[in-house]
Amino acid sequence: MIRSHVLVCAGTGCTSSGSEKVAAAFEAEINKAGLADEVRVVKTGCFGLCAVGPIAVVYPDGTLYANVTQEDCAEIVSEHLLKGRPVTRLVYDETVQGDTVTSLEETGFYKKQVRIALANCGIIDPEDISEYIAMDGYQALGKVLTEMTPGEVIDVIKASGLRGRGGAGFPTGLKWSFAAAQPPGKKYVACNADEGDPGAFMDRSVLEGDPHVLIEAMAIAGYAIGADQGVVYVRAEYPIAVKRLQIAVDQAREQGLLGDNILGTGFSFDMELRLGAGAFVCGEETALLTSIEGNRGEPRPRPPFPAVKGLFGKPTVLNNVETYANIPPIILKGAEWFSSIGTEKSKGTKVFALGGKVNNVGLVEVPMGITLREIVEEIGGGIPNGKKFKAAQTGGPSGGCIPSSLMDIKIDYDNLMEIGSMMGSGGLIVMDEDNCMVDMSRFFLEFTEEESCGKCTPCRIGTKRLFEILTKITEGKGTMEDLDKMEALCYYIKDNSLCGLGQTAPNPVLSMYRYFKDEYIAHVRDKKCPSGVCKDLLSFTIIAEKCIGCTLCKRVCPVGCISGNVKEAHVIDQDKCIKCGACVEKCKPKAIIKA
């Protein structure tokens, strides 16, 4: 009889840190200790706390071990699993109080989270359908097929207030109703699992940790609109997600939960995977559908919208993974339950990939209406090294920044739009006082400029010209007229581009210029980068009074621009200096400053 489970994170983040070897080491040590019949090792999905991976959690007590190595496994098995004594020095530090290990749910990272889309991630074996079923999996599908009409399903989704989690926030039930209203015939249910935003890994984590929730939700959507075919468009760069999703599809077919006459109800629905080549523009719905059809991923003019004329010219419902992950819980628990979470116009929760200058980098799911301050300071654990929070970028390269002055803003669709940002798919990048906002806007713009499909001139040429202006500014060659040109060009691109990529590409530039205009002006008028990031505007100087003449800086300089004798003040030749910063890192008395 199994008395304990060791759950090891096998998501992409922890896998890259060696969690597969950790799981194997646990199994070897458990066998060696004679516990094979009592303890089971489960490779599960993302726990969310990516900053301290690889992670292993021992149940039933729920003790979380952080930064686990292969060498740690023997001690955990001998002390914890054999003798019942958690190895406190290896336990996640926020759960340790003296010799006592407290609940993980009471830590700063978890206690304000509400997990709906991520409910099963880090709990079940994603490659075992029986574990999903044990967590009420496929009950929602059974309910709609045996107790509800298609119209009633759509009414529940409408009443829940669920909005698309892929970026635009369009009401999900309303989108489904448009497709359902089309004449009977061939229809499709499609899933956007392309997730191209830099730093975003929300959908990937759901696919890796709970793939059956997507299958169940897409089958429910198929029933609601009258479709018998589903297609998941997933990035080929997500090998773990692709593997687990395919395993889940095969298992669902074997159990009669996909295919003909599901659960004996007469409803038939099947699905397949299509791998994307990593084009950011394929996050736009019409470009994604074009790519599935085997063509170059380029957007189409709208209308007609996909709900009327989508995949292969047929009515199509398209949502992203996170949106679908909310469907089964809504069907089982009701629209009123879901709509009681969040704000008046933004219901439920939102999953964010929390990254950048924050201690608890990871995956979080929070109720709509939570403040940015709560996410950064409480869940995220604050800024490393005592630095000051400067801004957060939401919505990836299509979004905008939230400055420190608006840190108490409640995060929902409308509030973010009002301040020039957007929810996007859920990337949330934290920046501190060392980040240059001009450089950051250039960074995001460079990404969208490279990812433009080139179909329309405003995006193809406009983003290139805009990137050139930003580069000119970061090199200290910009003029005040360039700032006016930059702003005017941003609005032109937004107003005239064909699809969402071009229409939102200028957002980071506009929002950072709106809240950090003084930094742009400093780059142009004073030829200075206040954050000390833009190399062309930097100069390194040795303070003679602090220099002890140790020669360390001179020895590491790659271009030999530092001169001086032992125990004498050194000097940097500004004409030769390439501003690499190697001298600053080596200077023990901190005698070198950059300005």
Side-chain angles (χ1 to χ4, degrees), residues 1-77:
M1 179 178 178
I2 302 297
R3 61 173 174 82
S4 293
H5 288 79
V6 180
L7 273 56
V8 179
C9 176
T12 294
C14 284
T15 297
S16 67
S17 300
S19 66
E20 290 279 350
K21 293 179 180 178
V22 168
F26 268 121
E27 289 178 344
E29 294 297 333
I30 287 167
N31 288 332
K32 190 186 299 183
L35 297 175
D37 294 332
E38 300 178 45
V39 181
R40 181 184 169 216
V41 177
V42 179
K43 290 187 284 188
T44 185
C46 181
F47 290 94
L49 199 55
C50 305
V52 296
I55 288 172
V57 180
V58 177
Y59 282 101
D61 48 315
T63 302
L64 186 147
Y65 289 99
N67 302 120
V68 182
T69 66
Q70 292 172 259
E71 293 72 28
D72 295 329
C73 297
E75 185 176 0
I76 294 171
V77 170

Side-chain angles (χ1 to χ4, degrees), residues 6 33 65 98 161 201 259 274 302 310 326 336 338 381 386 455 482 576:
V6 180
Y65 289 99
F201 51 96
R274 294 288 181 92
R302 297 179 302 173
N326 284 282
E336 187 175 342
F338 188 81
K455 185 171 184 177
D482 284 328
K576 291 183 179 180

Side-chain angles (χ1 to χ4, degrees), residues 119-120 123-124 130-139 332:
N120 291 332
I123 294 177
I124 66 171
S130 65
E131 295 205 7
Y132 179 70
I133 292 173
M135 303 298 288
D136 296 334
Y138 291 106
Q139 283 198 21
L332 285 181

Side-chain angles (χ1 to χ4, degrees), residues 396-437:
S398 303
C401 77
I402 306 174
S404 58
S405 60
L406 296 175
M407 206 172 177
D408 291 309
I409 188 171
K410 292 184 176 181
I411 303 295
D412 65 20
Y413 290 101
D414 298 318
N415 283 341
L416 291 183
M417 290 292 291
E418 188 177 326
I419 65 170
S421 186
M422 64 184 290
M423 188 77 72
S425 59
L428 201 163
I429 307 299
V430 179
M431 294 168 275
D432 69 9
E433 58 191 274
D434 292 336
N435 285 104
C436 169
M437 305 311 286

